[in-house]
C-alpha cells in the first residue's frame, strides 16, 4: 500500500503522541490537556494560524498551500475525547485515570490528523488551504455542533469537510464508505408512568405502573415490526426500567428510557410520534398517565455524493482499488460529524482497525499500525482536491 514515505519516517513519533494521549484521557468538553498539546504541536509544525477555544475546547489549524490561487478550502476533522470506562487492556501506556479511557480510538484520530498536519505544513504541495479541525465532546456532548454553531465554517471559509473513524473488524489496510446515510440519528425517550400505589396483596386497589410499563415495553417493539417499512431501518430499545423498592408494595410510578435510531428524517419524526402515542395510549387504557419526553440526539450522518466519490478515489490511491468498499451497509451508531455534514458537503469514511476489541469495549486499543495509512489518506485528500501547479 503506498504510504507516503515522509509520513512513514515519522510514524514512530505519531505512535508516541497517540500513546501519550491514551495515558491521559479526558471527557467531553474537558479536553484541556489534549487541546493544549494539539495547539502546541500545530504551532510547532508552522501552521499559518492556530485557534483554540472554538466550540468551547475545539482547536483549528490553518495550513496554506504553496499556492492558494484556487481559493479552495477543505476541512479535515478528528475528535479528541475519551469515554467513562475502566480500561482493562493492561498495556504499559494504559489510562492513568481509572474510569476514563480512550475506548473509541479518538486518541488515534487526533494523532493521525496531527501527523497529517505536520506533513502538510512541511510540504505544502497543494493549491488552496487545508483546515485541520480537532473537536471535543463527540461522545454525546455535541462538540461538532458547538464548533459549527461557533461559526467555524464561515470564519475559516471551509467549503467541504471530511471525517474518518477507525473500524474494528474491518481489515487493516481497508477503507469503507457509502453515499447517503452512513450512521444513524440517535434520539432518546423518557417515559414517566404515574399509576396508583397500593399494598401488593390488594392489587385491585392499585393502578400498577409496572404492569403498564411492561405492556409499553412490549408494544414499543411493534414500531419496528409493524409501523416501519421492512426495507427501512430503525431501532427502538428500552434500556432502563425503574420502579418500586420492595416485595410488598405496588409502586406509584415507573420510569422507562431508551434509544431510537433511524436513518431517514421522516422516519425519525414518525417513530418519535409513535413512541408517544403508544405510551400515552396504553397508560390511558389502564387509567394511568404517561408523560413522554423525546430528546433529539445527533442527526443522521449523510455522506454527500460527489465528495464520497472523491473520498473513494483518494482511499484507492492509498490502499489500492480492491481494499476500498464503496457501498457498505449503514451503521446504527451515531456521530456528531453529522452536524458538520449538515453545514457543508463532505464525506465520512471508516479505516480498518483489524482484529481489535470493539469500540467502547474496556479492552479496546487503537491500532497504531493503521496510522501511516490514515495520515496518507488525509495528505492525499488535500493534495488531490487542490493540486499544486508546476
Ligand atoms: Ni468514536
Amino acid at each position: 500500500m503506498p504510504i507516503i514515505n515522509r509520513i512513514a519516517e515519522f510514524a514512530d513519533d505519531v505512535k508516541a503522541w497517540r500513546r501519550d494521549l491514551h495515558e491521559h484521557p479526558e471527557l467531553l468538553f474537558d479536553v484541556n490537556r489534549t487541546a493544549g498539546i494539539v495547539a502546541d504541536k500545530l504551532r510547532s509544525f508552522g501552521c499559518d494560524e492556530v485557534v483554540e477555544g472554538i466550540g468551547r475546547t475545539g482547536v483549528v489549524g490553518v495550513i496554506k498551500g504553496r499556492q492558494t490561487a484556487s481559493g479552495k478550502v477543505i476541512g479535515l476533522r478528528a475528535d479528541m475525547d475519551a469515554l467513562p470506562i475502566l480500561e482493562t487492556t493492561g498495556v504499559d501506556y494504559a489510562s492513568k485515570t481509572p474510569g476514563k479511557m480512550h475506548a473509541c480510538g479518538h486518541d488515534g484520530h487526533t494523532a493521525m490528523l496531527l501527523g497529517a498536519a505536520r506533513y502538510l505544513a512541511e510540504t505544502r504541495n497543494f493549491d488552496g488551504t487545508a483546515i485541520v479541525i480537532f473537536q471535543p465532546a463527540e461522545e454525546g456532548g455535541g462538540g461538532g455542533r458547538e464548533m459549527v454553531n461557533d461559526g467555524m465554517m464561515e470564519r475559516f471559509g471551509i467549503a467541504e469537510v471530511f471525517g474518518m473513524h477507525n473500524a474494528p473488524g474491518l481489515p487493516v489496510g481497508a477503507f469503507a464508505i457509502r453515499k447517503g446515510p452512513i450512521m444513524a440519528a440517535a434520539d432518546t425517550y423518557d417515559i414517566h408512568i404515574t399509576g396508583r400505589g397500593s399494598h401488593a396483596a390488594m392489587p385491585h386497589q392499585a393502578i400498577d405502573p409496572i404492569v403498564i410499563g411492561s405492556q409499553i415495553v412490549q408494544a414499543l417493539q411493534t414500531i419496528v415490526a409493524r409501523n416501519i417499512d421492512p426495507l427501512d431501518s430503525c431501532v427502538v430499545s428500552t434500556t432502563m426500567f425503574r420502579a418500586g423498592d420492595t416485595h410488598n408494595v405496588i409502586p406509584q410510578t415507573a420510569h422507562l428510557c431508551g434509544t431510537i435510531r433511524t436513518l431517514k428524517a421522516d422516519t425519525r419524526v414518525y417513530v418519535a410520534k409513535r413512541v408517544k402515542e403508544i405510551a400515552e395510549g396504553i397508560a390511558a387504557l389502564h387509567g394511568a398517565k404517561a408523560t413522554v419526553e423525546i430528546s433529539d440526539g445527533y442527526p443522521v450522518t449523510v455522506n454527500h455524493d460527489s465528495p464520497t466519490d472523491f473520498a473513494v478515489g483518494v482511499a484507492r490511491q492509498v490502499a489500492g482499488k480492491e481494499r476500498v468498499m464503496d457501498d457498505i451497509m449503514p451503521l446504527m451508531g451515531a456521530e456528531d460529524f453529522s452536524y458538520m455534514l449538515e453545514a457543508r458537503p463532505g464525506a465520512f469514511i471508516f479505516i480498518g482497525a483489524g482484529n481489535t476489541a470493539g469500540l467502547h469495549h474496556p479492552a479496546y486499543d487503537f491500532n497504531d499500525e493503521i496510522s501511516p495509512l490514515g495520515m496518507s489518506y488525509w495528505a492525499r485528500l488535500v493534495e488531490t482536491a487542490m493540486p499544486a501547479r508546476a
Side-chain angles (χ1 to χ4, degrees):
M1 57 186 93
I3 302 282
I4 296 171
N5 287 337
R6 176 64 189 131
I7 284 176
E9 283 169 19
F10 60 70
D12 282 345
D13 293 351
V14 175
K15 190 203 271 191
W17 304 342
R18 202 284 289 182
R19 293 183 173 192
D20 172 71
L21 295 174
H22 192 88
E23 274 186 49
H24 301 96
E26 297 175 298
L27 303 185
L28 293 167
F29 288 99
D30 298 329
V31 289
N32 297 302
R33 178 185 185 273
T34 309
I37 288 171
V38 166
D40 286 349
K41 289 212 186 299
L42 293 177
R43 284 190 199 100
S44 77
F45 303 152
C47 286
D48 297 281
E49 195 184 346
V50 177
V51 184
E52 295 175 76
I54 297 193
R56 291 157 69 175
T57 40
V59 183
V60 171
V62 177
I63 306 165
K64 291 189 195 309
R66 199 184 330 137
Q67 298 127 356
T68 53
S70 77
K72 287 189 181 169
V73 184
I74 288 189
L76 314 177
R77 169 275 201 178
D79 37 18
M80 299 188 285
D81 58 319
L83 283 155
I85 294 175
L86 183 64
E87 180 163 355
T88 63
T89 60
V91 295
D92 56 10
Y93 52 88
S95 169
K96 289 189 163 156
T97 312
K100 294 183 189 176
M101 82 172 280
H102 271 292
C104 201
H106 299 185
D107 48 348
H109 302 163
T110 296
M112 286 195 294
L113 190 54
L114 281 173
R118 172 169 167 180
Y119 168 85
L120 291 168
E122 190 176 283
T123 54
R124 312 237 178 200
N125 193 24
F126 53 97
D127 176 1
T129 304
I131 307 291
V132 287
I133 302 166
F134 296 85
Q135 75 149 85
E138 194 289 317
E139 299 289 359
R145 177 185 56 216
E146 295 288 311
M147 292 186 89
V148 170
N149 289 347
D150 215 351
M152 173 180 73
M153 298 300 181
E154 299 76 13
R155 176 167 175 181
F156 297 98
I158 298 167
E160 282 190 310
V161 280
F162 292 87
M164 174 162 47
H165 205 294
N166 79 100
L170 186 67
V172 170
F175 286 90
I177 192 169
R178 80 188 305 273
K179 287 180 188 171
I182 185 161
M183 297 196 70
D187 302 322
T188 58
Y189 55 87
D190 278 88
I191 301 170
H192 289 275
I193 304 160
T194 306
R196 187 195 304 135
S198 81
H199 195 297
M202 298 164 196
H204 57 293
Q205 293 177 355
I207 297 175
D208 187 343
I210 294 180
V211 173
I212 296 166
S214 304
Q215 289 185 0
I216 291 173
V217 171
Q218 294 291 327
L220 290 176
Q221 296 306 304
T222 65
I223 298 174
V224 175
R226 285 297 174 268
N227 296 150
I228 301 300
D229 184 327
L231 297 179
D232 193 359
S233 298
C234 173
V235 175
V236 178
S237 292
T238 299
T239 53
M240 192 196 85
F241 190 150
R242 283 193 187 139
D245 296 297
T246 187
H247 297 82
N248 59 355
V249 176
I250 292 175
Q252 179 87 2
T253 60
H255 177 196
L256 309 180
C257 75
T259 188
I260 303 169
R261 305 295 172 111
T262 50
L263 291 174
K264 289 181 185 159
D266 55 346
T267 308
R268 185 184 189 195
V269 172
Y270 178 64
V271 173
K273 177 171 157 280
R274 287 299 293 146
V275 168
K276 202 164 169 359
E277 286 170 353
I278 287 171
E280 290 173 354
I282 289 177
L285 175 70
H286 296 283
K289 186 167 167 41
T291 55
V292 180
E293 289 158 45
I294 310 274
S295 304
D296 286 351
Y298 296 164
V300 185
T301 302
V302 183
N303 275 342
H304 298 244
D305 286 357
S306 107
T308 304
D309 285 335
F310 175 71
V312 167
V314 172
R316 285 188 171 147
Q317 274 187 57
V318 178
K321 191 169 188 317
E322 310 73 38
R323 313 214 70 188
V324 180
M325 285 169 257
D326 62 1
D327 192 22
I328 54 162
M329 294 283 280
L331 282 85
M332 298 311 279
E335 232 312 322
D336 89 340
F337 187 61
S338 50
Y339 292 103
M340 297 194 193
L341 288 178
E342 285 188 340
R344 290 293 183 273
F348 185 71
I349 198 165
F350 292 106
I351 178 169
N355 218 359
T356 67
L359 300 176
H360 296 203
H361 189 279
Y364 170 85
D365 187 25
F366 180 82
N367 184 353
D368 289 306
E369 204 191 324
I370 72 174
S371 292
L373 192 66
M375 292 187 275
S376 298
Y377 170 79
W378 282 138
R380 288 297 184 229
L381 193 148
V382 168
E383 292 173 348
T384 308
M386 306 184 287
R389 284 159 302 127

